[in-house]
Amino acid sequence: MAQILLHGTLHATIYEVDRLHSEEGGNIFSKLRENFEEAVGFGKGTSKIYATVDLGKARVGRTRMIENEPQNPKWFESFHIYCAHLASDVVFTVKDDNPIGATLIGRAYVPVSELVEGEEVDRWIEILDEDKNPIQEGSKIHVKLQFFDVTRDRNWARGIKSSRYPGVPYTFYSQRTGCRVSLYQDAHVPDKFIPRIPLSGGQIYEPHRCWEDIFDAITNAKHFIYITGWSVYTEINLIRDTRRQKPGGDITIGELLKKRASEGIRVLMLVWDDRTSVGLLKRDGLMATHDEETEQYFKDTDVHCVLCPRNPDDGGSFVQDLQICTMFTHHQKIVVTDSGFPNGESDRRRVVSFVGGIDLCDGRYDTQFHSLFRTLDTAHHDDFHQPNYTGALISKGGPREPWHDIHSRLEGPIAWDVLFNFEQRWRKQGGKDLLVNLRELDDIIPPSAVVFPDDQQTWNVQLFRSIDGGAAFGFPESPEEAAGAGLVSGKDNIVDRSIQDAYIHAIRRAKNFIYIENQYFLGSSFSWDSNDIKVEDIGALHVIPKELSLKIVSKIEARERFTVYVVVPMWPEGIPESASVQAILDWQRRTMEMMYKDIIQALQAQGIEEDPRNYLTFFCLGNREIKKSGEYTPSEKPEPDSDYEKAQEARRFMIYVHAKMMIVDDEYIIVGSANINQRSMDGARDSEIAMGGYQPHQLSLPGHPARGQVHGFRMALWYEHLGMLDNSFLHPESEDCVRKVNDLADKYWELYAREELEGDLPGHLLRYPIAIASEGDVTELPGTEFFPDTKARILGTKSDFLPPILTT
């Protein structure tokens, strides 16, 4: 049967299955059960029946398990499913769970052709066996389906429109108004780095300084300091700019937290307990968290530091539990404190929260100069980070790995949502009840607006997460209550995956352009080419890349300009030729290829001859520096003929993109800890947190592009990456702009990759070194099979032994 594109939202309800029991007394279950007990030799098992929903090669929904109802399991569970899938049928699969896997009972099919017009389908459907014959019992499943095409959505391609925009629906946290947001590029911005960027109302963009503000927040807290991190390293200094010293700024963050705790402030920390610490990935340089050192450091002090593993939600099989514990991480990076009023205009206190991509650990401090060699005897002498080479040390010299990242500070009601997230996590994994009861403190102002509604600088902000009941206390047990709280129920867990929902909504609303910076970019594997892989086994099912390509396709069909800019690192941090890094690069290539094929097909269908990079374009960041007198001189040398030595001699290295951010039409921004991969977007894998916000008085309206803080922030980022600003940058969707940016990035890549070095690189934004063939295949740029100074293939290599769940 022909496959049809379902792009929109599918509302599905699974009610019940009838007559799983056959009249002759022996039913399908007794047979399954007997076979199973015979095979494994223990106990009379109980039936645990669940159902799943599939579109094509993608699993898009799953009910809870019903125990001890072998004849007539009733779920009455509803799902709202964001679709961007080609499928001929919606497939309902009924299975029986057991300790080592699951047994298929049968499948029921509803043709997609019956749904595309938006009619409601509510009926009993026959359950069929593998050969599509009715199963012995003649069982049926009762389902209800209704599909809402994306083009019928009032918000499709309309932007935010007005301050009445209610935020992303079906989420745990609702949108908050009257907030204030500060956006941070990198851990620090030196004085006078950012040029004059005009905003609306005669304002000029002012940058904020992340680690200075976190230092101030910790230093000035009066009641509590709550921190969660993938990693927190006690030996780093937050203040390192000699031109911007602060009293007390010379001590490490470990000493600072101990000092504040000894002064009676409640300091609580949740740091990911790196269990295995995923030996394979660790060996490849992908993970080094200092978790045990940090715990030891705070032992017998007033700081309460808890190492928490990524525990599964109760109820999975033993194998699944082990998998979650050892494969997945706690990835949220937040600081929450109480804060005084600016200028001390009141003695009362408010809650302030920090959310984003920057962990408080080594290797993260950097400025927009992203120096490789020139800070080795100053800001980075005691913080030399270079995990991409075996045996790299400060004593052997640079290049260090520069770090680009994005973070935010949230004030107003939204800051309390971040606080509540910490409290939920502490109650689940923190052990002792040490949370401060803020309601008992007279000077803490309860959640309330910090900006008046008519203030041009006010923000509306919503908090999103990827997390499940294994990491957050108080998630409802029943699927009905879970759905009411904006959560998704799985087979054996309750999941918040609102970060993925937020990305989908923002992409669907987009009018003109999207700008993404992310550490990873892979997904929508159900749409990848399946020549050499079994797509169903990959499981990178989130729809973000597919939503982006379908958005571009819709604009090509409407003959409207639209551009997506994506900045990723050259390769994921680690030894670049290692199996895990190469596997991730292979998934990334497949993702890019799927998108370019969509775009080229749309261009061909419209008879348009144009470079697909004018619609979708990928970049990485890198730096090259000439040697200056007075530079740090290392006492040793790298191993002869090593990649480390080659990079040192060529004076170049990638700038590691660790940001997790998306800007839409200069009016809406998402900033958080979540990567664009399945680990971060799944909800039941890595735990994540993100904010999505906009300024209701600074929207993108016809004839009036948005010129608020989001626009200023993007322009500051582009200045950092390109070393210049151009008038075309004011309209990123325009052909002028995308050509200008692509031309500069092509030029900078050529300067980065060539043998000779005549001067510092004028900008850091480099073309991602791939070519796109006429049908959309992603191929090597002529003469560039490997990243410079490495033996690592740019297009990656499929791994036959690493399970995809680890690398997607």
Side-chain angles (χ1 to χ4, degrees):
M1 204 187 291
Q3 293 200 315
I4 298 170
L5 176 67
L6 279 184
H7 187 206
T9 309
L10 179 66
H11 290 260
T13 303
I14 300 179
Y15 293 108
E16 59 182 318
V17 171
D18 73 340
R19 290 207 313 270
L20 277 178
H21 195 293
S22 69
E23 302 312 315
E24 300 84 55
N27 73 16
I28 191 164
F29 280 102
S30 52
K31 292 191 189 79
L32 290 175
R33 200 59 54 197
E34 282 159 23
N35 293 346
F36 175 66
E37 285 161 12
E38 204 174 357
V40 284
F42 59 76
K44 290 282 178 222
T46 52
S47 66
K48 293 181 179 177
I49 305 175
Y50 66 97
T52 62
V53 190
D54 288 271
L55 287 173
K57 293 174 177 174
R59 172 130 315 154
V60 293
R62 173 182 270 154
T63 68
R64 72 192 183 284
M65 289 188 282
I66 301 285
E67 293 197 32
N68 297 322
E69 279 291 342
Q71 298 167 24
N72 176 212
K74 293 183 167 78
W75 293 280
F76 286 81
E77 274 186 55
S78 295
F79 304 86
H80 63 277
I81 297 160
Y82 295 114
C83 320
H85 303 76
L86 272 173
S88 47
D89 298 287
V90 180
V91 183
F92 297 92
T93 305
V94 183
K95 290 186 174 181
D96 179 23
D97 196 61
N98 57 55
I100 55 167
T103 310
L104 175 70
I105 294 167
R107 294 190 174 95
Y109 301 83
V110 176
V112 167
S113 54
E114 295 183 25
L115 300 171
V116 283
E117 295 305 317
E119 298 296 315
E120 183 177 283
V121 171
D122 183 345
R123 63 167 181 258
W124 290 87
I125 316 163
E126 273 195 312
I127 298 176
L128 310 179
D129 64 17
E130 299 265 31
D131 301 319
K132 296 217 172 166
N133 298 316
I135 59 173
Q136 184 186 340
E137 285 69 22
S139 311
K140 292 183 176 175
I141 185 168
H142 181 196
V143 298
K144 182 169 77 176
L145 292 166
Q146 190 169 16
F147 173 65
F148 299 89
D149 191 273
V150 75
T151 54
R152 294 183 196 163
D153 182 347
R154 289 201 311 272
N155 294 311
W156 169 249
R158 298 275 175 80
I160 299 290
K161 291 192 296 196
S162 83
S163 60
R164 292 191 299 280
Y165 170 68
V168 179
Y170 309 112
T171 51
F172 188 80
Y173 293 104
S174 52
Q175 180 178 279
R176 311 297 181 194
T177 58
C179 302
R180 187 180 287 124
V181 174
S182 308
L183 298 168
Y184 301 111
Q185 64 190 108
D186 304 312
H188 186 64
V189 182
D191 285 339
K192 302 194 172 114
F193 174 79
I194 303 291
R196 193 172 181 281
I197 299 170
L199 307 178
S200 65
Q203 300 277 314
I204 298 298
Y205 176 74
E206 287 287 337
H208 301 275
R209 295 172 177 86
C210 184
W211 277 15
E212 281 190 11
D213 287 357
I214 288 177
F215 174 84
D216 289 343
I218 292 172
T219 303
N220 298 321
K222 190 174 154 191
H223 298 294
F224 69 93
I225 299 162
Y226 296 161
I227 296 172
T228 75
W230 175 80
S231 168
V232 175
Y233 189 44
T234 54
E235 300 307 308
I236 57 157
N237 290 77
L238 294 175
I239 306 299
R240 305 190 201 177
D241 187 337
T242 51
R243 294 183 185 86
R244 295 180 61 90
Q245 288 299 314
K246 287 176 174 285
D250 52 347
I251 64 169
T252 65
I253 188 166
E255 293 303 318
L256 178 62
L257 291 170
K258 282 204 288 201
K259 175 173 177 282
R260 298 307 341 261
S262 70
E263 291 163 354
I265 314 293
R266 180 63 48 86
V267 180
L268 304 183
M269 295 169 64
L270 289 171
V271 178
W272 173 49
D273 178 3
D274 185 354
R275 273 285 161 95
T276 51
S277 299
V278 198
L280 200 67
L281 297 183
K282 232 178 176 171
R283 193 182 64 229
D284 290 349
L286 292 184
M287 302 193 178
T289 60
H290 307 289
D291 49 343
E292 281 129 8
E293 290 168 64
T294 301
E295 184 186 40
Q296 268 314 113
Y297 181 91
F298 289 119
K299 208 174 173 188
D300 303 324
T301 73
D302 298 313
V303 174
H304 301 277
C305 175
V306 174
L307 292 192
C308 46
R310 174 65 181 92
N311 281 345
D313 219 339
D314 300 330
S317 70
F318 171 74
V319 179
Q320 284 169 315
D321 288 2
L322 193 69
Q323 206 175 45
I324 290 168
C325 229
T326 54
M327 286 190 182
F328 301 126
T329 76
H330 283 307
H331 207 236
Q332 296 184 344
K333 303 129 186 354
I334 61 176
V335 177
V336 190
T337 69
D338 62 291
S339 166
F341 273 68
N343 317 322
E345 63 224 37
S346 160
D347 290 337
R348 303 195 69 194
R349 315 282 297 171
R350 297 199 289 225
V351 172
V352 59
S353 298
F354 296 82
V355 167
I358 308 184
D359 279 295
L360 298 173
C361 68
D362 46 331
R364 302 312 190 255
Y365 181 90
D366 214 345
T367 70
Q368 294 65 50
F369 294 112
H370 297 298
S371 182
L372 306 173
F373 298 95
R374 291 173 189 162
T375 52
L376 295 185
D377 51 2
T378 52
H380 293 108
H381 188 70
D382 299 318
D383 186 4
F384 178 78
H385 183 71
Q386 182 46 283
N388 303 275
Y389 302 126
T390 332
L393 295 166
I394 180 81
S395 57
K396 294 178 186 173
R400 60 176 277 272
E401 177 184 69
W403 197 269
H404 174 65
D405 221 326
I406 289 174
H407 216 74
S408 70
R409 179 178 63 187
L410 308 175
E411 301 168 74
I414 187 69
W416 285 77
D417 289 340
V418 184
L419 170 70
F420 183 63
N421 165 76
F422 182 89
E423 291 177 338
Q424 275 192 310
R425 286 197 50 197
W426 184 270
R427 289 196 172 101
K428 190 74 183 183
Q429 290 193 293
K432 292 184 202 151
D433 182 14
L434 295 167
L435 294 162
V436 175
N437 186 345
L438 299 190
R439 284 160 203 78
E440 291 176 0
L441 299 173
D442 298 337
D443 60 347
I444 295 267
I445 298 173
S448 52
V450 292
V451 190
F452 290 113
D454 56 355
D455 188 317
Q456 295 295 300
Q457 295 308 316
T458 189
W459 282 77
N460 293 357
V461 193
Q462 197 170 357
L463 196 67
F464 307 112
R465 292 186 298 185
S466 291
I467 203 165
D468 65 14
F473 175 81
F475 275 11
E477 295 289 314
S478 80
E480 297 79 20
E481 287 176 77
L487 303 168
V488 182
S489 54
K491 185 174 76 171
D492 42 39
N493 57 353
I494 301 288
V495 178
D496 180 342
R497 58 158 169 256
S498 49
I499 298 179
Q500 185 180 162
D501 295 358
Y503 270 85
I504 294 165
H505 271 261
I507 294 164
R508 289 184 176 184
R509 283 195 314 269
K511 295 185 292 189
N512 303 312
F513 79 92
I514 288 172
Y515 175 59
I516 290 171
E517 293 188 2
N518 207 286
Q519 183 187 357
Y520 293 91
F521 191 84
L522 63 94
S524 307
S525 58
F526 52 85
S527 235
W528 294 354
D529 236 339
S530 54
N531 298 339
D532 61 336
I533 53 170
K534 195 173 170 201
V535 167
E536 300 89 313
D537 294 345
I538 307 301
L541 296 178
H542 74 87
V543 297
I544 293 164
K546 193 68 179 178
E547 287 286 348
L548 288 165
S549 65
L550 290 176
K551 167 62 71 169
I552 295 168
V553 166
S554 74
K555 291 291 190 172
I556 291 169
E557 289 170 351
R559 298 281 174 144
E560 293 173 13
R561 286 293 321 161
F562 194 89
T563 311
V564 176
Y565 301 82
V566 183
V567 182
V568 291
M570 275 190 208
W571 67 80
E573 188 179 60
I575 309 296
E577 62 271 21
S578 66
S580 47
V581 171
Q582 284 290 301
I584 294 165
L585 290 171
D586 178 58
W587 305 139
Q588 175 180 281
R589 173 190 61 79
R590 292 171 194 270
T591 305
M592 292 174 172
E593 196 164 86
M594 175 265 298
M595 298 173 76
Y596 278 122
K597 285 184 173 179
D598 285 351
I599 291 163
I600 286 172
Q601 279 169 15
L603 289 169
Q604 288 171 347
Q606 296 295 315
I608 300 170
E609 278 191 36
E610 202 177 343
D611 184 347
R613 285 179 72 222
N614 289 350
Y615 295 88
L616 170 68
T617 178
F618 289 91
F619 307 96
C620 52
L621 301 180
N623 198 7
R624 248 189 130 167
E625 294 173 334
I626 52 170
K627 192 160 189 167
K628 283 199 166 173
S629 59
E631 210 177 79
Y632 169 76
T633 313
S635 55
E636 303 169 60
K637 281 189 160 50
E639 292 291 309
D641 204 35
S642 61
D643 293 354
Y644 184 8
E645 185 190 58
K646 287 176 199 155
Q648 192 172 92
E649 285 172 1
R651 309 268 310 174
R652 65 186 162 204
F653 200 69
M654 70 165 166
I655 296 166
Y656 197 56
V657 178
H658 191 261
K660 298 97 173 50
M661 176 214 72
M662 181 167 79
I663 286 173
V664 178
D665 296 335
D666 274 353
E667 66 177 2
Y668 187 81
I669 186 168
I670 295 174
V671 170
S673 66
N675 296 314
I676 297 179
N677 60 6
Q678 195 62 25
R679 292 179 79 100
S680 287
M681 294 296 167
D682 190 90
R685 297 188 183 183
D686 290 356
S687 63
E688 308 283 4
I689 193 164
M691 61 72 82
Y694 63 96
Q695 294 185 281
H697 300 295
Q698 311 288 346
L699 300 180
S700 165
L701 302 167
H704 293 280
R707 292 293 179 257
Q709 292 298 320
V710 178
H711 166 75
F713 187 64
R714 178 183 63 78
M715 292 292 275
L717 287 167
W718 283 26
Y719 178 74
E720 170 185 347
H721 299 332
L722 288 159
M724 59 168 292
L725 286 178
D726 186 86
N727 276 342
S728 67
F729 298 175
L730 296 171
H731 302 280
E733 72 280 9
S734 69
E735 208 171 323
D736 281 355
C737 180
V738 71
R739 282 182 190 278
K740 177 83 178 173
V741 174
N742 277 338
D743 288 349
L744 284 166
D746 289 358
K747 181 178 123 188
Y748 294 164
W749 171 260
E750 202 269 317
L751 290 171
Y752 178 86
R754 72 185 186 186
E755 292 284 303
E756 59 281 0
L757 170 63
E758 284 155 17
D760 289 356
L761 217 52
H764 298 145
L765 190 79
L766 315 176
R767 171 190 187 137
Y768 198 83
I770 52 167
I772 299 112
S774 59
E775 297 302 311
D777 295 292
V778 169
T779 59
E780 292 164 10
L781 268 184
T784 49
E785 183 183 352
F786 306 110
F787 291 109
D789 313 317
T790 77
K791 299 174 271 305
R793 291 193 69 231
I794 290 166
L795 301 180
T797 311
K798 184 162 77 84
S799 169
D800 291 324
F801 72 92
L802 279 176
I805 196 167
L806 256 186
T807 51
T808 55

